[in-house]
Amino acid sequence: MAQLAINIGNLSLRNPVMTASGTFGYGLEFTDFIDLNRLGAYIVKGTTLLPRQGNDYPRMAETASGMLNCVGLQNKGVDYFCKEIYPQLKDFKSHAIVNVSGSTPEDYAECAARVAELEKIPAIELNISCPNVHDGGMAFGVSCAGAASVVKAVRAAYPKTLIVKLSPNVTDISEIARAVEAEGADSVSLINTLMGMSVDIERRKSNLSIGTGGLSGPCVKPIALRMVHQVAKAVKIPVIGLGGIMNAEDAIEFIMCGATAIQVGTANFIDPAVTMKIIDGMNDWCDQHGVKNIYEIIGVI
Amino acid sequence: MAQLAINIGNLSLRNPVMTASGTFGYGLEFTDFIDLNRLGAYIVKGTTLLPRQGNDYPRMAETASGMLNCVGLQNKGVDYFCKEIYPQLKDFKSHAIVNVSGSTPEDYAECAARVAELEKIPAIELNISCPNVHDGGMAFGVSCAGAASVVKAVRAAYPKTLIVKLSPNVTDISEIARAVEAEGADSVSLINTLMGMSVDIERRKSNLSIGTGGLSGPCVKPIALRMVHQVAKAVKIPVIGLGGIMNAEDAIEFIMCGATAIQVGTANFIDPAVTMKIIDGMNDWCDQHGVKNIYEIIGVI
Amino acid sequence: MKKYVKKLCVKNVEFLREDYILLRLSDPHDTLPEMLPGQFVQIAVEGSPATFLRRPISINFVDKEKNEFDLLIHAVGDGTRALTRLQEGNTLSCIYPLGNGFRIPPIDEGKKKFLLVGGGVGTAPMLLYGQCLKAAGHEPTFLLGGRSRRDILELERFENIGRTFVTTEDAGMGEKGFVTHHSIWQTETFDSVATCGPKPMMMAVGRMARARQTECFVSLENLMACGVGACLCCVEKTVKGNVCVCTEGPVFNINDLTWE
Amino acid sequence: MKKYVKKLCVKNVEFLREDYILLRLSDPHDTLPEMLPGQFVQIAVEGSPATFLRRPISINFVDKEKNEFDLLIHAVGDGTRALTRLQEGNTLSCIYPLGNGFRIPPIDEGKKKFLLVGGGVGTAPMLLYGQCLKAAGHEPTFLLGGRSRRDILELERFENIGRTFVTTEDAGMGEKGFVTHHSIWQTETFDSVATCGPKPMMMAVGRMARARQTECFVSLENLMACGVGACLCCVEKTVKGNVCVCTEGPVFNINDLTWE
Ligand SMILES: Cc1cc2nc3c(=O)[nH]c(=O)nc-3n(C[C@H](O)[C@H](O)[C@H](O)COP(=O)(O)OP(=O)(O)OC[C@H]3O[C@@H](n4cnc5c(N)ncnc54)[C@H](O)[C@@H]3O)c2cc1C
Ligand SMILES: Cc1cc2nc3c(=O)[nH]c(=O)nc-3n(C[C@H](O)[C@H](O)[C@H](O)COP(=O)(O)OP(=O)(O)OC[C@H]3O[C@@H](n4cnc5c(N)ncnc54)[C@H](O)[C@@H]3O)c2cc1C
Ligand SMILES: Cc1cc2nc3c(=O)[nH]c(=O)nc-3n(C[C@H](O)[C@H](O)[C@H](O)COP(=O)(O)O)c2cc1C
Ligand SMILES: Cc1cc2nc3c(=O)[nH]c(=O)nc-3n(C[C@H](O)[C@H](O)[C@H](O)COP(=O)(O)O)c2cc1C
Ligand code: FES
Ligand code: FES
């Protein structure tokens, strides 16, 4: 049994395997398939101050080795989360982390402040990289100033571990990473989805209601690995890597590129039990390769 | 028989199907499989003023629905092209277009000037987007100022049709497109490859000699479609779309997103006769859908 | 209801037409869970490079005694075509049973007459619904529509369960026209109507039912990624806002939908 | 030589070991083109989602009379594993014949003695080379190496063509050790040595040959994308700079390589 425990800010995780926001519901959707308690952490769906209906159907299109989505942050708002969902989550042994989104820095900060009051939520992940909403979302994540403004506001309102989720739709992701690090982020997670499109040539229309969507799945893994590698070299805070992870080997690729922890997203749709296999697989791989502690291989490339 | 002929600047192509630079050699490599004369145009490999050895082996890694390459512009220089290759190409009925690269704007301009002297080469494609070389290449293509500086220098030296190939590794590709349009580019082609990485966890090393490489193939198609759509709305010059095109339906997706012509890259490796099938397939599709002239569907989305 | 992700075993692949198969599955190790009509299975398709996500397929028929169940699959694209290449003895990863089923009222509320209207592969859930209604003591009547005779599948199985009427557009079988043209709408009344098939058909059936003040349930086939309520991709606009078809459906009372 | 992209027909799939197949292909419509030893085929693998590019496989044996040829395939990953699932009658898209072959000197320059050294699946091109050398009137001798007896494949076919020596690391067959330890190096001299297999083996064979001032040709297996000289991915550093293995190789005079 290799030592897989890692730290992100003040947060100790039993292993580096988390689930990605928007691909794992509130975790509760998966309790028939896996033991939530075994996860390093699970990040619940994008939450905003006020409820949102999200975008119209169709919201999804399959692509080569991946998918596009334009869900657009459908959620019942942070108060609903605090009242209805939190009580169902708080007794799991794994950390629940809330993915926070908004339209203005104040919005984000207010939402974060409400989550801060939830004793058993030790961290939030700030989503400044959603490509599927007009206001906020990716608009902040694609410039240093925008990213910094949100992180600054939230940092003032949120005392616990603050993870900032970065957009890959930028020229230089390490620059954005440094900007959010400078504003006090405890960690960065990357990548969110890449903005893409898919066309129905018979109907002469996009397959997605809003025209474009966010690309995820194994097709984006090469881009995600490159960005994780770049960012890990650029910042001192721990990096959480994701994008196309389907199995333990993929996870280890990210770790070797500099990720301290990883998230599993789209793979949950293909195999709802995949996270357990990844945890077991990482452990086996370490054992077979004489890796006693996962920190031995973080960033070896 | 639908009317597939299109114009790019002063250039008339019998159909919108071109081959992408670096994936089709000098065209001559494919004469056993296809009739070069049937192509709209073929773009020969990246050519620089002086010969280049390219990067070390390994230069390639397979990825989910795609591949990474870090060839790094290996070529024997523009003079070799003019002396040894051009005579072999000049009698084909399709247009041969030279993909020009360099390290400085002067470099590019000088290389372009030499190609300008070749009577039967009616156009060049300026590669300001190669992610696999340190000097020049993508360095120019990721900022408006950089892109403009190269185009300006080349425009002064090159009187024929000037296509500028854009990098997808940017926050806002339409901004770059507008910058090169303003400097007198006759057309933009996109996308070049996305910078990515691939890891051999056994050897704890990148699978590519220089660490990173350029991602191509169907995995990038959703991103390419989105960018073509964006750029087609942002500029008035014709857009040439590419990235993951494997068949006629893919080509029509790009056309509907606003591409006047398309290029076929990685697909040539999977099926060296694919371009003929795409031409025939586009023609059939138009006939079956009552499209008499390809211009009817350019940019309908 | 508890959901499972399991490797099921292919017991039989029967071609009903060159592009329709009846796929019989079984769990070699455990008793199959209870499956309600309208519920579906998310199938992982192997050996099809173009197919990344699972494919949702309705449960068509359950044989509890043999511990087997059937899926009726129409090969319309790469994923479903790959499923037609399955062979006896292959294993198939399935997440199931998913979604909510059609309602089966307790018989002590009174025996009820149901009209189950299916078009194309939308007949699939209707067979199991009829099977369950009959087992509960109700009276299911089937109305199946197609372009021609060859679109009417599993006819004998339907007839074994209840009266079965057919419409075809070319009059090759049953009455000529669409399902909504069938004379049964004029000659009989039903306590409940259920339908699954192409959206225009379901909308037309809904209008027929509404005109008769009969309740009407539809089974939707929205595009799905996860099938378990995690991705929010499969939403349908309802009077309560966007809801997930995979967890709050696929069966909906047509009054709850915002179809004009 | 003209290259073809063709759908060939699978005539036979023989398992030589659980992870090695001998795949027999034929062109159902045309006479096979001439194929030289060392040349290879680029195969499109179907039904393997992880396999995007074609896979290069050496030509192992040609039967002109039957219009058939063999490939020896070691299942090492998803692509080659998918090839082991091929069945008689399947079609397979192949680009071939690719690359340059081993040199076969005209017999009027004199009958020559060749030592053909193969390790693992690297024995594949050696069989055809021996076949062609013999047909041209030369004398091929084979030296095959493996870890144990089960690594020595197609032994009978080699023996039908020429003297065949074996080394195994566990002494289970032939002499114990690596190919370079075999006594033949001490007891005989050859006009030419050719080798294909793992790089350390080829390097060691190259050193043995050089020490004996014998010419030595190696067949390289660099990663390839296109196989036709278009992508420049397969390059090997040579005294003339980076050259494409797929067009200027895969056979190289070891003196032209920069292997120290
Ligand atoms: C709850 C549910 C139950 C279903 N039950 C059955 C069933 O019992 N039997 C059966 O054969 N099919 C059923 N379907 C539809 C089936 O899931 C699709 O036909 C299948 O996913 C198509 O996959 P493919 O790879 O073959 O085709 P693709 O290549 O993915 O698509 C082929 C064509 O079909 C269209 N298409 C794909 N999925 C859907 C969909 N869900 N709705 C409408 N159009 C679609 C695509 O837009 C495309 O035009 C059901 C769908 C749902 C959501
Ligand atoms: C000119 C040439 C001739 C060849 N002839 C034969 C032959 O006759 N029979 C045969 O079985 N194989 C031959 N090979 C090797 C064969 O092409 C690879 O084994 C095959 O491509 C692996 O594909 P895969 O999808 O099964 O494995 P992958 O999953 O792609 O790879 C599995 C493992 O093998 C390694 N690998 C893959 N390709 C190569 C390669 N070309 N060189 C070294 N390591 C590699 C990978 O790095 C990985 O570790 C030849 C290769 C070349 C270039
Ligand atoms: C359907 C769907 C919904 C998503 N919703 C969110 C979200 O609400 N907030 C967020 O930060 N990321 C969201 N994402 C992005 C994922 O968390 C993740 O960054 C991305 O999918 C890449 O990882 P993957 O390839 O493993 O899926 C969503 C992704 C998908 C596929
Ligand atoms: C092996 C390889 C070499 C390439 N070399 C060049 C090049 O020299 N110049 C250039 O502009 N683009 C080059 N490209 C990029 C392609 O022209 C094309 O932009 C990219 O591959 C996306 O298209 P595709 O997905 O159809 O391949 C190269 C791509 C590949 C795969
Ligand atoms: S398919 Fe994912 S929520 Fe319904
Ligand atoms: S494999 Fe493409 S040049 Fe050799």
Side-chain angles (χ1 to χ4, degrees), chain C residues 84-228:
Chain C
T84 66
R85 291 193 294 271
L86 285 168
Q87 299 191 326
E88 196 188 319
N90 288 166
T91 57
L92 199 63
S93 169
C94 294
I95 312 180
Y96 80 116
L98 299 176
N100 292 314
F102 285 102
R103 181 157 177 267
I104 299 173
I107 191 71
D108 47 22
E109 289 178 10
K111 175 169 172 160
K112 297 222 169 99
K113 280 183 70 183
F114 289 81
L115 182 65
L116 312 187
V117 187
V121 81
T123 57
M126 293 302 147
L127 186 70
L128 182 61
Y129 191 18
Q131 196 191 8
C132 295
L133 285 170
K134 188 180 173 194
H138 296 292
E139 186 195 329
T141 299
F142 299 105
L143 176 54
L144 313 177
R147 233 162 302 159
S148 68
R149 161 185 290 266
R150 60 193 297 280
D151 297 323
I152 308 301
L153 302 159
E154 296 188 289
L155 185 61
E156 215 173 300
R157 288 184 124 177
F158 283 106
E159 291 176 336
N160 283 338
I161 294 169
R163 286 183 306 154
T164 304
F165 300 98
V166 168
T167 60
T168 50
E169 292 172 42
D170 69 354
M173 188 184 225
E175 297 186 11
K176 183 179 161 83
F178 296 126
V179 284
T180 42
H181 298 146
H182 197 276
S183 57
I184 187 110
W185 292 102
Q186 314 310 331
T187 56
E188 293 196 32
T189 56
F190 296 90
D191 299 306
S192 185
V193 172
T195 181
C196 184
K199 193 165 171 184
M201 185 200 90
M202 294 195 286
M203 292 174 83
V205 170
R207 282 190 297 268
M208 295 291 277
R210 183 168 305 171
R212 283 157 185 71
Q213 289 174 316
T214 309
E215 62 173 23
C216 179
F217 291 86
V218 297
S219 184
L220 302 185
E221 297 200 342
N222 289 14
L223 291 172
M224 294 182 177
C226 72
V228 301

Side-chain angles (χ1 to χ4, degrees), chain C residues 26-42:
Chain C
S26 160
D27 187 329
H29 305 299
D30 292 309
T31 306
L32 292 170
E34 201 194 346
M35 289 176 264
L36 305 178
Q39 287 192 310
F40 62 96
V41 178
Q42 275 274 64

Side-chain angles (χ1 to χ4, degrees), chain D residues 226-239:
Chain D
C226 71
V228 300
C231 73
L232 307 187
C233 287
C234 62
V235 289
E236 181 72 23
K237 233 179 221 151
T238 71
V239 292

Side-chain angles (χ1 to χ4, degrees), chain D:
Chain D
M1 282 172 75
K2 185 165 160 63
K3 305 174 188 98
Y4 300 85
V5 51
K6 285 238 183 183
K7 293 242 179 239
L8 300 183
C9 181
V10 174
K11 302 299 281 186
N12 194 44
V13 184
E14 186 190 341
F15 277 83
L16 302 185
R17 220 170 84 174
E18 71 287 357
D19 57 345
Y20 269 95
I21 58 161
L22 201 59
L23 183 67
R24 176 150 284 218
L25 298 174
S26 159
D27 186 329
H29 304 299
D30 293 310
T31 307
L32 292 171
E34 199 195 346
M35 289 177 263
L36 305 178
Q39 287 191 309
F40 61 97
V41 178
Q42 275 275 64
I43 299 182
V45 181
E46 280 182 31
S48 169
T51 309
F52 174 64
L53 297 164
R54 286 176 182 258
R55 293 294 188 260
I57 301 290
S58 303
I59 296 161
N60 175 230
F61 191 81
V62 178
D63 187 332
K64 279 196 186 164
E65 269 168 47
K66 294 200 181 142
N67 204 44
E68 295 175 346
F69 68 101
D70 291 340
L71 305 175
L72 175 69
I73 299 173
H74 187 191
V76 297
D78 282 325
T80 45
R81 261 197 299 276
L83 293 176
T84 65
R85 292 193 293 271
L86 284 169
Q87 299 190 326
E88 195 188 321
N90 288 167
T91 56
L92 199 63
S93 168
C94 294
I95 311 179
Y96 79 117
L98 299 175
N100 292 316
F102 285 102
R103 180 156 178 268
I104 299 173
I107 192 70
D108 48 21
E109 288 178 11
K111 176 169 172 161
K112 296 220 170 103
K113 281 182 68 183
F114 289 81
L115 182 65
L116 311 185
V117 188
V121 80
T123 56
M126 293 302 147
L127 186 68
L128 182 61
Y129 192 18
Q131 196 189 8
C132 295
L133 286 170
K134 189 180 172 193
H138 295 291
E139 186 194 329
T141 299
F142 300 104
L143 175 55
L144 313 176
R147 233 162 302 157
S148 68
R149 162 185 289 266
R150 60 192 295 281
D151 297 322
I152 307 302
L153 302 159
E154 298 188 286
L155 185 59
E156 216 173 301
R157 287 185 125 176
F158 283 105
E159 290 175 337
N160 283 338
I161 294 169
R163 287 183 305 153
T164 304
F165 300 98
V166 168
T167 60
T168 51
E169 292 173 43
D170 69 354
M173 189 184 226
E175 295 187 13
K176 183 178 159 85
F178 297 125
V179 284
T180 41
H181 298 147
H182 197 278
S183 56
I184 187 106
W185 292 102
Q186 313 310 330
T187 55
E188 293 195 32
T189 55
F190 296 89
D191 299 304
S192 184
V193 172
T195 181
C196 183
K199 192 165 170 181
M201 185 200 90
M202 293 195 287
M203 292 174 82
V205 169
R207 282 190 296 269
M208 294 291 276
R210 183 167 308 173
R212 283 158 186 72
Q213 289 171 316
T214 310
E215 62 174 22
C216 180
F217 292 86
V218 298
S219 183
L220 302 185
E221 299 201 339
N222 289 14
L223 293 171
M224 293 182 179
C226 71
V228 300
C231 73
L232 307 187
C233 287
C234 62
V235 289
E236 181 72 23
K237 233 179 221 151
T238 71
V239 292
K240 295 181 294 180
N242 286 327
V243 304
C244 288
V245 170
C246 68
T247 48
E248 308 205 27
V251 176
F252 289 93
N253 187 322
I254 203 160
N255 289 334
D256 291 338
L257 302 178
T258 56
W259 297 359
E260 81 295 33

